[in-house]
Amino acid sequence: MIPPRVYAFEGLIPVVDPSAFVHPSAVLIGDVIIGANCYIGPCASLRGDFGRLVVMGGSNVQDGCVMHGYPGTDTVVEENGHIGHGAVLHGCTVRRNVMVGMNAVIMDEVEIGESAIVAASCFVKAGMRIPPRVLVAGVPGRVVRELGEDEVGRKTRGTQTYQELARRCLAGMAETSALTGADEGRLQLRTQWRK
């Protein structure tokens, strides 16, 4: 397995728990802490050169996500956070079991309450406080409604699927060269989404 691109910054070296998977194309700079059983996807950029970035246990930060903050702030994803493809987190706090949808932007000093869901492409403006267990959508983001048990359960199972993906990547991903054609009877992955 090729190690991720990790850079010390002014003496601060990123920390990655051995049970976490960080894709080799992801970039970790400076004051970054990745907890146990996390998944950091391809081309994610976690730039801890102004403030600390923390991704707590069981969380995932998917392909093309950006984490950063303005000077002196922490950007935190608490346990079992689920950050969708292309999302931007900037100087905010994402509480336990939150899902941030694809291409959403969470700005400075925002706090997303536990088990909330931020819809895809939502823009959550600076300083907002989002209560627990609600759906936030729109530009700018606003609370649309409370979440039901089934929705929170689906989110939790989706995050568990990414925790399993971290384990699978650590055990079975290797850099290689592409084939020039598909083999007859080529195997196909059949990952099951947890229902």
Side-chain angles (χ1 to χ4, degrees):
M1 173 63 66
I2 298 170
R5 294 181 297 183
V6 176
Y7 300 90
F9 184 78
E10 295 181 349
L12 286 169
I13 299 172
V15 175
V16 178
D17 186 277
S19 65
F21 172 77
V22 180
H23 190 274
S25 67
V27 177
L28 309 179
I29 300 170
D31 197 0
V32 176
I33 301 171
I34 307 296
N37 303 309
C38 288
Y39 174 90
I40 309 298
C43 300
S45 175
L46 286 72
R47 187 160 60 92
D49 52 7
F50 285 168
R52 178 168 289 170
L53 311 180
V54 180
V55 180
M56 294 184 182
S59 295
N60 64 80
V61 177
Q62 298 171 21
D63 320 46
C65 289
V66 173
M67 287 182 68
H68 195 242
Y70 63 85
T73 63
D74 292 347
T75 304
V76 178
V77 176
E78 290 187 350
E79 291 87 354
N80 299 318
H82 191 99
I83 312 303
H85 313 291
V88 176
L89 306 181
H90 201 273
C92 58
T93 300
V94 174
R95 296 286 180 211
R96 293 175 55 91
N97 203 43
V98 164
M99 184 174 100
V100 174
M102 294 181 277
N103 292 314
V105 176
I106 315 297
M107 290 300 295
D108 301 302
E109 299 178 355
V110 167
E111 182 178 328
I112 308 291
E114 185 171 336
S115 297
I117 294 176
V118 178
S121 298
C122 181
F123 176 81
V124 182
K125 63 184 180 178
M128 284 190 75
R129 296 288 182 263
I130 306 300
R133 299 176 63 94
V134 297
L135 173 63
V136 180
V139 177
R142 63 178 179 81
V143 175
V144 175
R145 62 178 171 77
E146 292 185 7
L147 295 173
E149 287 297 323
D150 59 326
E151 294 168 304
V152 173
R154 278 196 310 269
K155 182 271 161 206
T156 299
R157 290 186 296 278
T159 301
Q160 291 168 345
T161 300
Y162 267 90
Q163 292 165 354
E164 178 62 23
L165 180 59
R167 290 187 285 276
R168 290 172 61 201
C169 287
L170 287 170
M173 183 181 282
E175 186 172 28
T176 188
S177 297
L179 299 173
T180 57
D183 300 335
E184 184 74 29
R186 179 179 171 89
L187 296 176
Q188 189 173 356
L189 291 174
R190 296 290 184 192
T191 301
Q192 296 295 314
W193 190 257
R194 297 171 185 252
K195 295 183 179 180

